[in-house]
Amino acid sequence: ETGVTQSPTHLIKTRGQQVTLRCSSQSGHNTVSWYQQALGQGPQFIFQYYREEENGRGNFPPRFSGLQFPNYSSELNVNALELDDSALYLCASSSRDIPAQETQYFGPGTRLLVL
Amino acid sequence: AQSVTQLDSQVPVFEEAPVELRCNYSSSVSVYLFWYVQYPNQGLQLLLKYLSGSTLVESINGFEAEFNKSQTSFHLRKPSVHISDTAEYFCAVSPHNTDKLIFGTGTRLQVFP
């Protein structure tokens, strides 16, 4: 069973640029959630995708957007990067089709630095 | 709305000593409860979870947590820690009607020899 993978592992961008982060969900999972973890903080929920549709969003501006593909992999896109977007971006996969709260399994994260 | 409070940002302890990491939460709806561990430069790993049933839950590496509904707490304990337990520990809740996780700010457990 393949775990959750994310790419790239590290990324450096400048203010105003755009970035795309990628996540491959664990085998058998159809739900992907994205979190932002700033230095010294707990992860903050950005949004979740279930079967290619957005299924819940946290308190993040519209320049944070996402996609989920038919194979349940996902992308997080951030436009007009700001310095405060520097953080570890975590992807988590789960399966909503099992009738109980499903555990979210996290990838290793992508560390984004905005200069 | 939900919130999670981890009162201790850092907990230093000597090897083989007991430890308790505190977690309190606030929610107007029923929630599931989780503890995740994050080792340096890694993602989050699930340590244990409470969904229903027995209020005492255990992990495979000796940690346990007890759900206390009246005190809205989910403290994490281990009777004897190892150097390898040094990591950041996050408490999280998830409302029953969503899959969203709300995390605390984390507690850094530092185990000294």
Side-chain angles (χ1 to χ4, degrees):
Chain A
E1 187 176 88
T2 306
V4 180
T5 60
Q6 292 185 243
S7 62
T9 56
H10 296 80
L11 202 52
I12 299 176
K13 291 285 188 178
T14 56
R15 227 168 19 167
Q17 284 189 310
Q18 180 265 342
V19 69
T20 297
L21 310 181
R22 296 177 176 83
C23 170
S24 291
S25 59
Q26 186 166 307
S27 176
H29 286 179
N30 54 23
T31 303
V32 172
S33 304
W34 286 93
Y35 294 81
Q36 180 195 65
Q37 186 180 14
L39 199 61
Q41 300 296 316
Q44 299 288 318
F45 176 74
I46 303 176
F47 45 56
Q48 182 183 85
Y49 280 83
Y50 169 62
R51 293 189 179 277
E52 303 178 60
E53 298 285 331
E54 187 178 290
N55 180 57
R57 187 179 183 93
N59 189 26
F60 281 81
R63 59 189 184 85
F64 285 79
S65 63
L67 282 173
Q68 188 179 32
F69 300 99
N71 66 354
Y72 303 129
S73 65
S74 177
E75 286 184 354
L76 164 65
N77 299 290
V78 187
N79 294 321
L81 283 167
E82 300 177 0
L83 297 179
D84 285 348
D85 295 333
S86 296
L88 179 68
Y89 288 85
L90 295 164
C91 164
S93 77
S94 58
S95 176
R96 296 195 67 200
D97 291 340
I98 299 176
Q101 169 65 18
E102 267 309 295
T103 301
Q104 294 189 27
Y105 294 91
F106 284 80
T110 294
R111 190 164 296 282
L112 173 65
L113 177 61
V114 182
L115 301 175
Chain B
Q2 294 77 36
S3 66
V4 177
T5 302
Q6 293 183 247
L7 291 169
D8 306 302
S9 59
Q10 295 187 61
V11 173
V13 64
F14 286 108
E15 194 173 20
E16 297 183 7
V19 71
E20 178 180 80
L21 307 184
R22 296 179 292 171
C23 172
N24 288 88
Y25 70 93
S26 172
S27 177
S28 56
V29 300
S30 296
V31 294
Y32 301 112
L33 297 139
F34 303 83
W35 276 98
Y36 281 86
V37 58
Q38 186 174 38
Y39 297 100
N41 300 313
Q42 293 187 27
L44 299 171
Q45 299 176 28
L46 178 70
L47 192 58
L48 45 76
K49 61 185 177 183
Y50 172 76
L51 304 182
S52 65
S54 172
T55 57
L56 183 66
V57 290
E58 299 177 351
S59 72
I60 58 172
N61 56 354
F63 283 94
E64 65 178 30
E66 185 160 20
F67 170 52
N68 188 318
K69 188 173 182 179
S70 62
Q71 297 186 9
T72 60
S73 68
F74 192 54
H75 301 329
L76 181 69
R77 302 184 183 92
K78 189 171 185 179
S80 176
V81 295
H82 302 289
I83 297 285
S84 59
D85 293 325
T86 294
E88 190 89 19
Y89 291 79
F90 291 95
C91 181
V93 302
S94 178
H96 282 192
N97 60 344
T98 78
D99 294 333
K100 176 174 72 171
L101 285 166
I102 298 107
F103 286 88
T105 52
T107 297
R108 172 142 182 85
L109 175 63
Q110 180 75 52
V111 182
F112 295 94

